Amino acid sequence: MPLVDLYGHEDIRTLLSDSVSSGKLPGSLLFHGPRGVGKQRLALWLAQLLLCTAEDKPCGKCRGCEYSRNLTHPDLHWYFPRLRPKDPDPALADVIDDYQEAIAERLSNGGLYAAPSGNEGIFVATVRAIVQQASLTPAMASRKIFVIGDAERMVPQEGAEFAANAFLKLLEEPSSKTTIILTSSEPGALLPTIRSRAVAIRVPPLPDAAVRSFLADPIVAAALEKAGAPKSTVERLSIAGGAPGQLLGDEARGRAIRAARKLLDAALAPNESARHAAVLGVGAAGARGAFSDTLDAMLMLVGERMRAALHDADEARALRASRAADSVARALDQASGNVNPQLIAARLLRELSVSLS
Ligand SMILES: [Zn+2]
């Protein structure tokens, strides 16, 4: 699947495209603005423009454009926060493999992804990989582009001063064959040494019309469905607030929704063994916070069922969903107390299998 189209941001696109054609594009850029506004997508668009070989850039037709849209261009490098590698000093090839996997995963969703979880970062192994790749000559185009998303997650690490300094040097004076685009929704959290070396461009929230077009894109619709975003456009527009990527939630929310779906499926399964397995999967006392998140997500899913039933004027189904919502709310209450999550889950699934089926 190629990257989803870039929606909106016409003013910045014009500005960037003018500075490219006049040869004035700075070597290091920082796109900052609200989370979910499309900063990394915009950075990838600029990368495509820089790698396009046609007159009218980005043409969308040449090999450079095609490879960029599929994220297979050897001179386009995309980095973003990842979990800390288990090996504190992984081989470069392993770091690059890990990113290739992560990029393939993003691409399987049209390049749409949830915000990184709190424990993902841009660790020293990644910084080393960037510095190393920047030292090579471009493979196919006349320049290399580095897109570094959520750059404020680049944290100083003890013993990593050499890599950090090499990166700062790269940012300060990238060769004429290298363009570095950092993005951040928390530019205040960026290391000052990084912030001061890149030319900042603010990426503002999108107007409703652009958000609507984005939401109408089938790739986006599928990704939002998967992420468990609310179904009504009005609700979506209000949550998005001009930054529709927020509808994709964050990693933790995605996990909670997946876990809630699994429990609901088990409740509806005809055999008891599926329910039993699901209860065991909840985990015992240790995972209390995660269990409450799962129940929260379940409440939302059951609420959606109720709204769908009301929409179909199916009162009986709506009533059943409303009973299910009561059960989930009671479980949430118990989960905040001292009751074992597995006990709560066992009872909840029993109740749900009666009320929903
Ligand atoms: Zn092109």
Side-chain angles (χ1 to χ4, degrees), residues 46 48 64 72 79 82 86-87 91 95 104 110-111 138 141 143 146 153 182-183 210 221 224 241 244 275-276 293 317:
L46 176 58
Q48 181 187 339
T72 50
Y79 288 98
R82 294 289 289 153
K86 287 195 182 77
D87 178 352
V95 178
R143 61 167 70 225
F146 290 83
R153 297 291 184 95
L182 309 172
T183 80
L224 290 183
R275 288 213 299 272
H276 190 65
D293 291 348
R317 190 150 56 93

Side-chain angles (χ1 to χ4, degrees), residues 14 27 48-49 94 96 113 119 146 155 158-159 162 185 187 192 196 198 212 229 235 240 315 339 345:
T14 307
Q48 181 187 339
L49 185 150
D94 292 340
I96 290 169
Y113 50 87
N119 42 16
F146 290 83
V155 285
E158 224 164 291
F162 185 77
S185 40
S196 63
R212 277 178 194 277
E235 219 173 316
E315 270 182 49
V339 187

Side-chain angles (χ1 to χ4, degrees), residues 14-25:
T14 307
L15 173 95
L16 291 169
S17 144
D18 287 351
S19 33
V20 171
S21 39
S22 60
K24 287 192 185 124
L25 187 78

Side-chain angles (χ1 to χ4, degrees), residues 75-111:
D75 297 315
L76 170 55
H77 305 274
W78 190 13
Y79 288 98
F80 41 82
R82 294 289 289 153
L83 288 175
R84 188 188 286 276
K86 287 195 182 77
D87 178 352
D89 191 19
L92 201 62
D94 292 340
V95 178
I96 290 169
D97 278 355
D98 176 58
Y99 272 96
Q100 258 164 8
E101 230 171 82
I103 288 170
E105 198 187 317
R106 283 190 170 190
L107 202 53
S108 69
N109 223 13

Side-chain angles (χ1 to χ4, degrees), residues 48-49 51-54 56-66:
Q48 181 187 339
L49 185 150
L51 296 170
C52 175
T53 52
D56 195 10
K57 299 170 198 294
C59 73
K61 294 184 195 92
C62 71
R63 220 153 56 123
C65 280
E66 188 199 327

Side-chain angles (χ1 to χ4, degrees), residues 295 299 323-335 344 347-348 351:
L295 292 175
L299 204 53
R323 275 198 210 108
D326 287 344
S327 298
V328 180
R330 214 165 27 243
L332 246 174
D333 225 30
Q334 291 171 336
I344 302 173
R347 176 160 171 202
L348 174 62
E351 291 180 8

Side-chain angles (χ1 to χ4, degrees), residues 193-257:
T193 45
I194 291 182
R195 202 172 51 224
S196 63
R197 283 172 169 80
V199 175
I201 294 178
R202 191 178 123 74
V203 185
L206 291 168
D208 268 4
V211 177
R212 277 178 194 277
S213 323
F214 175 79
L215 293 177
D217 188 306
I219 296 178
V220 176
L224 290 183
E225 163 93 39
K226 233 199 287 179
K231 298 222 183 319
S232 100
T233 307
V234 177
E235 219 173 316
R236 285 181 172 185
L237 283 170
S238 128
I239 294 175
Q246 299 205 68
L247 289 160
L248 294 155
D250 52 41
E251 266 297 309
R253 189 179 134 83
R255 257 198 310 275
I257 290 171

